[in-house]
DNA sequence: TCCGGTAGCTGTAATCATTACAAGTTTGCA
DNA sequence: TGCAAACTTGTAATGATTACAGCTACCGGA
């Protein structure tokens, strides 16, 4: 379901994107951290391993990956873009208490109103907010 | 379907929110401009009528209105919050060409995945992106 | 092997939406 | 009228993102 490195590399090559060392590391991070990290998280975590990494490079890499469709970007509520290696259509739930972002399955494809009959839809987003089960039980 | 001033005033009173002159104007603007305006749009338009208006007041008013649930705020893609007087559940479509934001009907309420069985859902958002019919025909 | 060009990386400065804050103003009420 | 609380205003600070200029690494041809 989630793409392997080999597949990602193939995709990059197919789109004429050079896979530099830094880009590899960002991609690797997204594959290993499917928690919808922010630029700040990605950057500060990778900095431990790559002390010379620049935040600009992280931004540039994420822009390229998003433009070529290998990564999905989203802004859920707050003013910090989050990144997701899973580009399949799925919904997101953000807990207002612990701020975790959960994935959930949703049948977005069969989900089209008559109002949009003549629209060309390129992108579908569904996100909910509320309290997650963990936080609900902790409150009691 | 869309609330009248009288109703809005009632709601404000019920929540112990004082309806100052500036707040009235912001509310009025949102009722009359259902195009999901940004703070900048609201502020610069109202400035013509109220030369002493402060942008901080617009921000503060929108925060209060959002907190009390009279207005819905959203960030669709770009980094500018938009405001909507229509708080009923509905979907949004943003045209990537003319940047207009359209409303569309969507049955969000009957729209809940089993993955979220134990979650407390407080808020549901659906937004699509693509090209609107007007821009599609203009291209040809 | 050497060289030149280009893509990529880095660090800093600029931009822009939003928030914080302090001071002035209005409002409601005694 | 007079005071306190609520509002408004203008400016400064914050923080994410982008622009930009200089440096570096890599790659293909002589
Ligand atoms: Mn996801
Ligand atoms: Mn709307
Ligand atoms: Zn939680
Ligand atoms: Zn359009």
């Amino acid at each position: 379901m989630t793409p392997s490195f080999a597949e990602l590399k193939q995709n990059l090559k197919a789109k004429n994107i050079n896979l530099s060392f830094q880009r590899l590391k960002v991609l690797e991070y997204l594959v290993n951290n499917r928690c919808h990290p922010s630029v700040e998280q990605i950057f500060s975590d990778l900095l431990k391993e790559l002390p010379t990494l620049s935040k600009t490079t992280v931004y540039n890499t994420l822009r390229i990956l998003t433009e070529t469709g290998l990564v999905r970007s989203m802004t859920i509520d707050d003013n910090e873009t989050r990144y997701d290696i899973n580009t399949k259509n799925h919904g997101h739930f953000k807990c207002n208490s612990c701020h975790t972002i959960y994935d959930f399955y949703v049948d977005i494809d069969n989900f089209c109103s008559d109002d949009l009959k003549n629209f060309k839809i390129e992108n579908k987003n569904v996100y909910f907010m509320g309290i997650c089960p963990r936080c609900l039980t902790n409150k009691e």
Side-chain angles (χ1 to χ4, degrees), chain A residues 45-68:
Chain A
D45 281 353
L46 287 180
L47 203 59
K48 299 166 191 164
E49 204 182 339
L50 312 172
T52 68
L53 182 66
S54 162
K55 194 178 273 187
T56 300
T57 298
V58 178
Y59 274 106
N60 286 339
T61 300
L62 290 169
R63 183 173 40 73
I64 290 174
L65 295 176
T66 304
E67 279 172 8
T68 57

Side-chain angles (χ1 to χ4, degrees), chain A residues 77-91:
Chain A
D77 190 42
D78 51 13
N79 46 358
E80 220 184 11
T81 305
R82 305 298 202 92
Y83 296 88
D84 193 347
I85 193 74
N86 181 2
T87 56
K88 298 260 172 60
N89 267 339
H90 63 282

Side-chain angles (χ1 to χ4, degrees), chain A residues 12-28:
Chain A
L12 282 169
K13 196 170 280 178
K15 309 213 176 184
N16 277 328
I17 308 295
N18 196 355
L19 187 59
S20 72
F21 182 64
Q22 289 86 346
R23 290 175 184 172
L24 174 72
K25 285 299 180 181
V26 170
L27 209 41
E28 199 176 85

Side-chain angles (χ1 to χ4, degrees), chain A residues 34 36 72 74 84-86 90-92 101-104:
Chain A
R34 293 158 184 275
H36 315 90
R72 159 185 292 226
M74 54 186 158
D84 193 347
I85 193 74
N86 181 2
H90 63 282
H92 288 116
I101 295 177
Y102 295 84
D103 290 330
F104 64 90

